[in-house]
Amino acid sequence: MSVFEHPSFDNHEKVLFATDDATGLKAIIGVHSTARGPAVGGCRFWSYENSEAALNDALRLSQGMSYKNVMADLPIGGGKSVIMKPAGAFDRDALFTAFGRAVDTLGGAYITAEDVGVSPADMVSVRKSTKFVTGLPEGEAASGDPSPVTAEGVFRGIKVSAERAFGSRDLSGKRIAVQGAAGHVGAYLCRHLSEAGAELIITDINEPGLCKLEAELGATVVAPDAIYDQQADIFAPCALGSIIKADTIGRLKVKVVAGAANNQLATRDMGAELQKRGILYAPDYVINAGGIINVMGEISGDFDPKWVQGKLDGLEKTLGEILDRAESEGRPSNLVADDIARARLENARAQKAA
Ligand code: NAD
């Protein structure tokens, strides 16, 4: 297993491997950059096949958080953590409290929050052992579950993308395929899309959640793997990453890929492959920044919904600029976004060093 040579190592400032025998904790915390402030990013709780898969996720997600936070022009750096779900029985509260102890050893260089598999209640457990935690359900300036705001940002990103691809932001009658529809972000997004008049095709591996949504929104349900084959206008990946890859890209029949999942492209060259096929890609870390924007409101200690809305307006503008530049330069949108993010981070590093 390589660390320094890993393609997403990208000069991570720190990577912490934390274990705790008593609770079964095995966690990896990536601190990619603190050039603009403490590294902020969620904690993922997942059944990884092995520690290499967990490290890969931690590094890719952590680097992605730096890019996301700088693109949203937030005064924070980027980091992320993963906890490998123990195979047998475990005490969830004790596990997350132990994770909090690991976070605390970084002395504020990393501030955690929710990601896939983690709830605001888990953050309460983390809070027992560190103050470097956000996304708490209550307390001063508590911002709670970030998912509704993430979903709103993705919804706005979909409308900007629709304007480019179809000449209008109006989503009524548009067929939109949503992967991970029963998830925290997916369900809120589906409700926005349904209200906007879109025709939904949904999938999830959580069948009861999916059935509930089907009944609520009258959506068409398809099997998880069939989502790639749908004759639709827009594909919104809202489950896990690396789903746009060699064996799925050729199956897509949509004109737009825009969703909440982090690291949707398995490799950076998938952006060029989408472009070749005439599919507009809304870079994931640009349009899924709503949650971190919401969390930022909590970190600042003065949660202001108006500020959050202003930042979501900024997200739409940034996406528009990226898509303009991608079009005028004839380059894939993901590479244009990465260039902008890296230049801003370099600038911040230089300013910090000066
Ligand atoms: P979640 O765990 O609540 O939802 C994910 C959903 O995907 C679940 O319902 C799960 O059953 C489903 N799923 C998993 N594998 C699947 C598969 N193969 N096919 C279909 N469905 C599958 O997580 P979430 O918080 O909604 O986050 C979703 C994505 O958005 C993640 O990639 C996350 O990193 C990203 N994201 C979330 C936020 C946030 O505010 N929650 C912010 C930014 C980015």
Side-chain angles (χ1 to χ4, degrees), residues 44 46 61 68 80 114-118 145-151 179-186 203-206 224-225 228 237-241 243 260-262 288-292:
R44 182 168 290 191
W46 195 249
L61 290 166
K68 184 185 314 203
K80 197 95 178 184
E114 297 91 344
D115 188 57
V116 175
V118 174
D145 180 6
S147 308
V149 187
T150 303
Q179 182 180 48
H184 284 93
V185 181
T203 196
D204 202 290
I205 53 171
N206 167 0
D225 188 57
Y228 302 107
C238 298
L240 294 180
I243 47 97
N262 284 308
N288 71 12
I292 192 70

Side-chain angles (χ1 to χ4, degrees), residues 120-131:
D122 296 322
M123 291 299 109
V124 174
S125 303
V126 173
R127 182 67 182 88
K128 288 182 187 170
S129 47
T130 186
K131 62 180 184 203

Side-chain angles (χ1 to χ4, degrees), residues 148 151-153 155 171 187-198 217:
E152 186 181 344
F155 177 58
L171 298 177
Y188 284 111
L189 177 65
C190 285
R191 291 185 186 108
H192 280 299
L193 295 172
S194 177
E195 255 172 50
L217 303 177

Side-chain angles (χ1 to χ4, degrees), residues 90-350:
F90 62 94
D91 178 337
R92 193 169 177 113
D93 174 54
L95 187 81
F96 277 88
T97 306
F99 169 69
R101 284 195 291 277
V103 170
D104 206 59
T105 64
L106 292 168
Y110 170 66
I111 301 175
T112 197
E114 297 91 344
D115 188 57
V116 175
V118 174
S119 69
D122 296 322
M123 291 299 109
V124 174
S125 303
V126 173
R127 182 67 182 88
K128 288 182 187 170
S129 47
T130 186
K131 62 180 184 203
F132 302 117
V133 52
T134 61
L136 293 163
E138 52 192 34
E140 232 176 284
S143 61
D145 180 6
S147 308
V149 187
T150 303
E152 186 181 344
V154 173
F155 177 58
R156 285 168 173 242
I158 287 177
K159 285 198 287 187
V160 171
S161 305
E163 189 167 26
R164 303 302 173 108
F166 310 112
S168 165
R169 293 167 68 99
D170 183 5
L171 298 177
S172 56
K174 288 277 171 291
R175 282 170 67 82
I176 306 185
V178 183
Q179 182 180 48
H184 284 93
V185 181
Y188 284 111
L189 177 65
C190 285
R191 291 185 186 108
H192 280 299
L193 295 172
S194 177
E195 255 172 50
E199 214 181 292
L200 294 179
I201 304 160
I202 59 174
T203 196
D204 202 290
I205 53 171
N206 167 0
E207 280 188 27
L210 198 59
C211 289
K212 231 173 100 192
L213 209 62
E214 179 188 21
E216 180 189 333
L217 303 177
T220 303
V221 168
V222 297
D225 188 57
I227 200 75
Y228 302 107
D229 305 312
Q230 297 307 308
Q231 194 69 55
D233 299 297
I234 298 170
F235 174 39
C238 298
L240 294 180
S242 296
I243 47 97
I244 307 281
K245 52 187 177 179
D247 59 348
T248 57
I249 196 163
R251 295 163 60 187
L252 298 178
K253 298 178 179 72
V254 295
K255 286 275 168 247
V256 170
V257 172
N262 284 308
N263 300 327
Q264 290 163 30
L265 308 182
T267 53
R268 291 177 87 218
D269 58 3
M270 284 295 134
E273 291 299 321
L274 286 173
Q275 188 196 25
K276 260 192 231 160
R277 290 166 165 80
I279 301 175
L280 181 151
Y281 172 61
D284 45 20
Y285 60 78
V286 176
I287 69 165
N288 71 12
I292 192 70
I293 288 169
N294 200 54
V295 161
M296 187 65 221
E298 182 173 336
I299 295 171
S300 70
D302 181 20
F303 189 75
D304 177 1
K306 266 201 215 134
W307 177 85
V308 171
Q309 286 301 314
K311 280 285 176 195
L312 292 180
D313 293 342
L315 177 157
E316 286 192 35
K317 193 165 159 263
T318 303
L319 176 62
E321 285 165 6
I322 292 165
L323 296 178
D324 282 345
R325 202 167 133 183
E327 197 181 332
S328 68
E329 295 176 6
R331 295 179 63 221
S333 53
N334 65 312
L335 299 188
V336 170
D338 285 358
D339 284 355
I340 299 172
R342 264 200 296 270
R344 289 187 187 179
L345 277 177
E346 271 316 307
N347 195 22
R349 280 189 191 117

